[in-house]
Amino acid sequence: MTDKEVLLLRRKLDLLLRTGKLLMESAADTNRIERNMKRVAAFMGIPEEKLHIDIRWTMIMVNVSDEKNSFSKFQKCEKHGINMTMISQISDLSWHAIEQDYSLDRYEEELEKIACKPRNYIPYLVAIGAGFACGGFCKLFGCDWIAFLFASISAFIGFRVRARCIEAGLNVYMAIALAAFVSTCLAYVSSFSGLSVTPYHPLLACALFIVPGVPLINFVDDMIDNHLLVGITRAANTAMMVGAMTFGITFAMRVLVMNDIAIDHKFSELSMVPHESYLTYAIAAAIAAMGFSMIFNIQRRLLWVVAVGGIIAVCTRNFVNFELGYGPVIGSFMGSFVVSLLAVKAVHWFHVPNHVLTIPSVIPMIPGVLMYRSLLAFINMHGVIGEVTNAFANGINSALIILCISLGVAVPNIFARQYIAKDRKRYLQEELEKRRQRGKFLEW
């Protein structure tokens, strides 16, 4: 290869790696990252049989080789977050580049615009959304509207504390622990107001804005798709986030409420059976789903879609759980399964990836009551017979529910992907052939 050809190939690999980096740092699942990178490589004229991609949590590696030459490049991935809008826009860009005959300069320009685009919501608006999301959780757990407000305020302040800590350069897990501590303390203080008939419910929901729903569902996706190394890393990251959240809550409990036996009794007596109308739970689910959508930076035009998804998920869960009597584990699986199944079709209507619609919709089904029962049981152990069994039973049930939520989201999407992949590959080849006929195809 000539020096000019080598420089051109290096530029292509740089753009390809940057595309993958933006997707990884926006919390795309590994299968999506690989599919998008191969599509961009096809746009650049790099044959798939000569392209080798290795995706890790902190590093993406690309190699292009033939009988005579081999070129490899690496890209570090450092700032992991959640940005559903960026995932959608990069997916659209990979198709537009082929369909509209982009040059490399045009592709680089559009990719830079996506990378530099500000988020859809200002930080304080996201914090308000996070606050109301936790308030929606609290309402789903059976609180009154005053407790809903207290939970929202506590979560709002905790969310801002975490944001400030991260801006100041504090370790992300320490920021999570501190945010959980502050939110729990504020929720406990609010229980003394005397304004709510469910004063302890905000303690259940005030820190749930930290729940790592996206990493957890991506972990399940990656493991099922055989991307084991990335999946295990995502699972470890999820465990660290949950551990930091648990530490913050536990520390607050030990400092503030270690002698308040009433709280333990209140949590153990909380009814798991809905005692309000489906309309009330639908409103709470919609609020929670839209709040998490703002945290995940979903497009404004999709907020109502996600709200409807949250309503379908929660109402399906309650119907299967209580009306049919199959229990919370099967109920949660069916709620997420139905939403994911509907999203398989809805993605063609709204032109966004499946997870953009499904993940925020199923987050309101997180089993907060069981999680806190398990946590408090471990904190308040006194050597009484049955304490360990009770703690583990609640912990295992909550873990099973969360796992079934993840599976319910992942399974329909994975099976649908198998059917859709052939059509997309055929469409891609057709578009590339049209590009060759127009004389716009880029050779590697």
Side-chain angles (χ1 to χ4, degrees):
M1 298 180 69
T2 65
D3 291 342
K4 185 177 180 180
E5 291 173 333
V6 170
L7 290 174
L8 179 60
L9 181 57
R10 285 179 178 172
R11 186 188 179 195
K12 290 179 180 180
L13 294 183
D14 284 337
L15 290 174
L16 186 60
L17 285 168
R18 191 173 181 204
T19 302
K21 175 188 176 182
L22 291 175
L23 288 169
M24 175 59 79
E25 292 183 345
S26 299
D29 62 278
T30 307
N31 189 281
R32 173 165 294 279
I33 297 172
E34 187 173 23
R35 281 186 286 123
N36 276 261
M37 289 182 69
K38 286 182 177 180
R39 194 181 305 139
V40 172
F43 148 72
M44 294 176 176
I46 301 176
E48 185 174 341
E49 64 273 10
K50 298 178 181 179
L51 177 68
H52 312 281
I53 301 174
D54 189 15
I55 300 173
R56 308 290 175 90
W57 174 250
T58 57
M59 182 75 71
I60 300 177
M61 294 158 275
V62 172
N63 171 267
V64 177
S65 58
D66 58 15
E67 296 80 5
K68 297 181 180 179
N69 304 288
S70 180
F71 299 89
S72 299
K73 289 189 74 70
F74 302 82
Q75 178 65 60
K76 187 77 172 174
C77 302
E78 298 173 317
K79 298 179 180 179
H80 293 275
I82 303 174
N83 191 336
M84 296 292 187
T85 295
M86 186 172 291
I87 294 173
S88 301
Q89 291 180 337
I90 290 177
S91 180
D92 291 340
L93 175 61
S94 65
W95 285 111
H96 293 162
I98 296 170
E99 295 166 346
Q100 301 177 23
D101 295 329
Y102 282 13
S103 63
L104 284 180
D105 290 335
R106 174 76 185 280
Y107 180 84
E108 184 175 15
E109 179 185 341
E110 295 296 328
L111 190 65
E112 182 67 22
K113 286 180 182 178
I114 293 173
C116 297
K117 185 178 180 180
R119 294 178 72 90
N120 297 323
Y121 314 94
I122 61 174
Y124 276 95
L125 189 58
V126 176
I128 292 171
F132 279 120
C134 292
F137 267 118
C138 196
K139 191 64 183 172
L140 288 170
F141 299 156
C143 76
D144 58 20
W145 288 106
I146 297 297
F148 166 91
L149 183 60
F150 287 150
S152 299
I153 294 172
S154 301
F156 168 81
I157 296 173
F159 190 89
R160 287 305 304 160
V161 167
R162 184 181 70 165
R164 289 295 186 185
C165 289
I166 293 175
E167 289 170 5
L170 189 67
N171 177 275
V172 64
Y173 302 116
M174 291 300 297
I176 287 172
L178 187 57
F181 174 81
V182 171
S183 295
T184 304
C185 290
L186 291 172
Y188 178 69
V189 170
S190 73
S191 68
F192 294 100
S193 67
L195 299 175
S196 172
V197 296
T198 55
Y200 296 118
H201 281 67
L203 284 165
L204 297 170
C206 63
L208 289 181
F209 62 85
I210 301 169
V211 170
V214 175
L216 181 61
I217 292 171
N218 282 342
F219 149 67
V220 175
D221 253 354
D222 287 346
M223 297 301 285
I224 294 175
D225 281 332
N226 206 34
H227 297 289
L228 301 182
L229 287 178
V230 186
I232 292 170
T233 308
R234 291 188 197 269
N237 179 55
T238 300
M240 288 292 292
M241 293 176 71
V242 172
M245 175 183 169
T246 302
F247 175 81
I249 294 170
T250 304
F251 191 64
M253 290 292 188
R254 299 302 288 177
V255 169
L256 294 174
V257 302
M258 60 183 301
N259 295 319
D260 196 341
I261 302 176
I263 289 187
D264 187 36
H265 287 311
K266 287 289 184 182
F267 285 170
S268 62
E269 294 169 2
L270 281 177
S271 174
M272 299 292 289
V273 180
H275 55 275
E276 297 194 44
S277 66
Y278 271 81
L279 177 61
T280 301
Y281 284 106
I283 293 171
I287 292 172
M290 287 192 291
F292 273 97
S293 297
M294 296 171 72
I295 298 174
F296 300 158
N297 195 41
I298 287 176
Q299 298 96 314
R300 295 173 186 267
R301 66 183 177 88
L302 298 175
L303 287 178
W304 72 271
V305 180
V306 173
V308 172
I311 292 170
I312 293 172
V314 169
C315 291
T316 301
R317 187 270 311 269
N318 287 353
F319 180 77
V320 173
N321 183 7
F322 303 110
E323 305 296 337
L324 300 182
Y326 284 103
V329 175
I330 301 300
S332 299
F333 174 80
M334 290 306 301
S336 58
F337 183 86
V338 169
V339 168
S340 185
L341 204 60
L342 293 174
V344 169
K345 185 65 177 177
V347 294
H348 301 293
W349 304 335
F350 302 104
H351 305 290
V352 291
N354 185 283
H355 282 180
V356 174
L357 301 179
T358 54
I359 294 180
S361 299
V362 303
I363 291 293
M365 295 191 296
I366 295 295
V369 174
L370 290 174
M371 292 166 61
Y372 274 81
R373 281 182 182 174
S374 177
L375 179 60
L376 282 175
F378 281 114
I379 293 173
N380 296 321
M381 280 187 180
H382 301 293
V384 179
I385 295 175
E387 282 184 329
V388 175
T389 302
N390 183 55
F392 270 104
N394 287 322
I396 291 172
N397 280 334
S398 61
L400 282 174
I401 290 172
I402 293 173
L403 178 61
C404 283
I405 291 173
S406 303
L407 286 173
V409 169
V411 170
N413 186 37
I414 289 171
F415 278 105
R417 190 186 302 152
Q418 301 302 317
Y419 289 103
I420 296 172
K422 293 181 180 179
D423 292 335
R424 285 185 173 176
K425 188 170 184 179
R426 183 170 58 252
Y427 177 75
L428 176 61
Q429 294 303 321
E430 290 173 355
E431 290 298 317
L432 291 174
E433 184 58 34
K434 290 177 184 177
R435 203 163 188 228
R436 287 189 183 92
Q437 294 174 3
R438 292 192 296 266
K440 300 291 185 179
F441 187 73
L442 299 175
E443 297 291 346
W444 81 288

